[in-house]
Amino acid sequence: MHDFWNNLHQLIDPEKLLREGGFYLVVFVIYAETGLFFGFFLPGDYLLFLAGMFVATGKLDVNIAVLLAGLCVAAISGNFTGYWFGRKTGPVLYTRKDSFFFKKRYLKAAEDYYHKQGAFALIMGRFVPIVRTFAPIFAGVVKLDFKKFALYNVVGGTLWICSLTLLGYFLGRRFEKEINDYLLYIIIGFILITTIPLLITFVKSKVVKGPEEDKTDLN
């Protein structure tokens, strides 16, 4: 098991991906994380930051404009792929019977949420690991209006790609010599920043779920 996790870490290590895979592999990773359900474990945020930093320091041989354009296309097309997948698999879920792991009321709740908060889920959800992978899929499942989805997709994808990539690029140019000394702290910072929203959501769900369970017990 220890060897398995070491091999997995090496496989998804952002620095290794950039050094050995280059521009095209980075583009594919962003596409996979934002549109393919098995890509939720990929290091999107940190990879974008490092890509910008590597361009600034000459470790990645590509123009920053080309990098941004390629990554934006990958992120936007990835979400379209996820939405299409959700549209195709959605009817199966609506006809499925309730089980221990699946409840139709959860699907209905997701549908109501997307119709009310679709912009937030698809734009700001880009900055939250796992959420950015599954948000477009669920948008397709609940059949969110395609024009709205396309708008949220383009805005969210462009904002996510440009903000993190340019942050790495400008910091790399400004602190080219010093930034390698602080790379470990940057990694820890990204882990904390991307984990906190998930922890907040988990705690909120537990707080809301508690009173609901109490009401159910009383009834």
Side-chain angles (χ1 to χ4, degrees):
M1 181 61 73
H2 180 70
D3 292 337
F4 170 77
W5 285 113
N6 282 337
N7 291 333
L8 181 62
H9 174 73
Q10 292 177 4
L11 179 65
I12 64 175
D13 178 45
E15 291 186 67
K16 186 176 181 181
L17 286 172
L18 283 164
R19 289 195 178 98
E20 298 184 6
F23 170 71
Y24 294 105
L25 183 58
V26 174
V27 169
F28 175 75
V29 168
I30 295 302
Y31 170 79
E33 195 198 7
T34 55
L36 307 180
F37 67 90
F38 57 79
F40 66 90
F41 64 90
L42 295 169
D45 293 326
Y46 182 39
L47 186 62
L48 292 177
F49 177 85
L50 270 187
M53 191 184 77
F54 275 29
V55 169
T57 56
K59 295 179 181 178
L60 186 61
D61 187 21
V62 64
N63 182 276
I64 185 63
V66 174
L67 177 67
L68 289 172
L71 292 174
C72 283
V73 169
I76 292 169
S77 59
N79 261 23
F80 277 129
T81 302
Y83 181 85
W84 173 83
F85 179 79
R87 292 276 295 200
K88 293 296 182 181
T89 59
V92 177
L93 293 177
Y94 277 98
T95 57
R96 183 177 176 179
K97 293 182 179 180
D98 285 355
S99 64
F100 180 78
F101 294 102
F102 175 80
K103 305 290 183 184
K104 281 186 180 179
R105 68 175 182 271
Y106 297 153
L107 198 59
K108 178 61 178 174
E111 184 175 356
D112 293 339
Y113 176 81
Y114 268 89
H115 286 302
K116 293 178 182 178
Q117 304 291 339
F120 181 83
L122 293 166
I123 295 176
M124 300 312 297
R126 286 278 193 174
F127 294 85
V128 184
I130 301 178
V131 173
R132 63 172 160 263
T133 301
F134 291 102
I137 296 175
F138 277 103
V141 169
V142 302
K143 295 183 178 176
L144 180 68
D145 180 72
F146 182 75
K147 290 182 179 179
K148 288 184 178 180
F149 174 80
L151 175 62
Y152 303 154
N153 180 20
V154 172
V155 173
T158 304
L159 182 63
W160 179 54
I161 294 295
C162 291
S163 60
L164 293 180
T165 307
L166 288 176
L167 176 63
Y169 178 75
F170 287 119
L171 285 177
R173 292 194 64 180
R174 177 66 179 83
F175 305 103
E176 181 175 351
K177 295 180 179 179
E178 301 93 338
I179 200 163
N180 286 326
D181 297 331
Y182 296 97
L183 200 54
L184 177 61
Y185 301 103
I186 293 172
I187 295 171
I188 295 173
F190 267 102
I191 292 173
L192 291 175
I193 291 170
T194 56
T195 302
I196 287 173
L198 294 177
L199 292 176
I200 293 174
T201 303
F202 176 77
V203 172
K204 283 184 177 180
S205 67
K206 288 295 182 182
V207 172
V208 172
K209 189 177 181 181
E212 290 180 350
E213 288 180 345
D214 292 339
K215 290 179 182 178
T216 303
D217 293 338
L218 290 174
N219 293 331

